[in-house]
Amino acid sequence: DVKVTQSSRYLVKRTGEKVFLECVQDMDHENMFWYRQDPGLGLRLIYFSYDVKMKEKGDIPEGYSVSREKKERFSLILESASTNQTSMYLCASSLTGGAGTEAFFGQGTRLTVV
Amino acid sequence: EDQVTQSPEALRLQEGESSSLNCSYTVSGLRGLFWYRQDPGKGPEFLFTLYSAGEEKEKERLKATLTKKESFLHITAPKPEDSATYLCAVVPHRAGTALIFGKGTTLSVSS
């Protein structure tokens, strides 16, 4: 089974802190994604990566950056955390092309910025 | 603009009362449509992938169907453990695109 693991289930950070959210997948997937999920807004794409060292902005990249140095690991960085970044963060991975392009998600990180 | 709309937002059913959830989409060429189940505080769990109009997939009490403009998730004789939020997502054909999600339907099944 595909496994996507996020480093923390819950995090509490202070305004202005630099925050790192880590995600690891074990199925050699090319694509990895970071979404945030907020009530009434659904899942919104922050960034995605289709290869090592490659990244694409999603719908809401402001205030975030990403890093993908190895195929299995995709990190989301909040450069200076703000209260409006309090949210559920979800990492996912998928294969490229053909059948089986469904994405598999991690368990989520509930981030609270105070 | 690619868009996914799910209806209803919330659905309450009695145990055994069958119903359907709708996912309508507009996309510039559909690579695939996906259904997920999400329990509170957890990540979405993959259910089905549909690739072409007329395709159907089944899993226990769930059946997903696809037309050129929408997909339905049919729930037959639901049980309380089917209570969850069901998410629909599409991936367009153009390269370098991620899943585009609807806002979900929250299903509550009471005994």
Side-chain angles (χ1 to χ4, degrees), chain A residues 36 38 44 62 64 80-87 89 113:
Chain A
R36 65 176 282 178
D38 301 286
R44 294 180 291 166
E62 297 79 17
Y64 303 94
S80 177
S82 64
T83 54
N84 63 12
Q85 292 178 310
T86 292
S87 186
Y89 289 87
V113 182

Side-chain angles (χ1 to χ4, degrees), chain A:
Chain A
D1 283 349
V2 174
K3 190 159 186 181
V4 179
T5 303
Q6 296 182 228
S7 53
S8 304
R9 288 295 306 276
Y10 301 96
L11 275 179
V12 180
K13 297 292 182 181
R14 295 196 177 276
T15 301
E17 276 193 77
K18 191 168 187 176
V19 181
F20 293 85
L21 303 183
E22 307 285 346
C23 176
V24 177
Q25 51 97 0
D26 66 357
M27 283 301 292
D28 204 34
H29 284 175
E30 295 90 355
N31 304 317
M32 295 189 75
F33 312 89
W34 277 106
Y35 289 87
R36 65 176 282 178
Q37 186 175 31
D38 301 286
L41 297 178
L43 275 82
R44 294 180 291 166
L45 181 67
I46 304 172
Y47 268 97
F48 70 101
S49 168
Y50 52 88
D51 200 353
V52 176
K53 297 190 185 295
M54 305 301 290
K55 61 184 179 183
E56 291 283 343
K57 292 181 180 180
D59 299 319
I60 50 166
E62 297 79 17
Y64 303 94
S65 62
V66 291
S67 173
R68 193 167 180 200
E69 296 296 319
K70 293 185 178 181
K71 190 174 186 179
E72 68 271 18
R73 187 180 297 271
F74 193 34
S75 302
L76 179 69
I77 303 153
L78 285 65
E79 298 291 342
S80 177
S82 64
T83 54
N84 63 12
Q85 292 178 310
T86 292
S87 186
M88 171 71 112
Y89 289 87
L90 292 162
C91 174
S93 71
S94 72
L95 287 168
T96 295
T101 55
E102 58 270 14
F104 294 90
F105 283 82
Q107 76 277 29
T109 296
R110 174 73 66 183
L111 173 67
T112 302
V113 182
V114 298

Side-chain angles (χ1 to χ4, degrees), chain A residues 9 33 35 37 40-43 45 48 88 90 97-108, chain B residues 31-32 34 36 38 41-46 48-49 51 87 91 96-103:
Chain A
R9 288 295 306 276
F33 312 89
Y35 289 87
Q37 186 175 31
L41 297 178
L43 275 82
L45 181 67
F48 70 101
M88 171 71 112
L90 292 162
T101 55
E102 58 270 14
F104 294 90
F105 283 82
Q107 76 277 29
Chain B
R31 176 183 288 184
F34 308 90
Y36 289 85
Q38 186 176 26
K42 296 188 177 181
E45 174 189 349
F46 170 73
F48 303 110
T49 307
Y51 292 106
L87 299 169
V91 174
T97 54
L99 279 79
I100 302 166
F101 279 87
K103 293 183 179 180

Side-chain angles (χ1 to χ4, degrees), chain B residues 24-47:
Chain B
S24 63
Y25 62 91
T26 54
V27 67
S28 51
L30 180 70
R31 176 183 288 184
L33 183 142
F34 308 90
W35 282 98
Y36 289 85
R37 171 192 170 125
Q38 186 176 26
D39 293 304
K42 296 188 177 181
E45 174 189 349
F46 170 73
L47 292 173

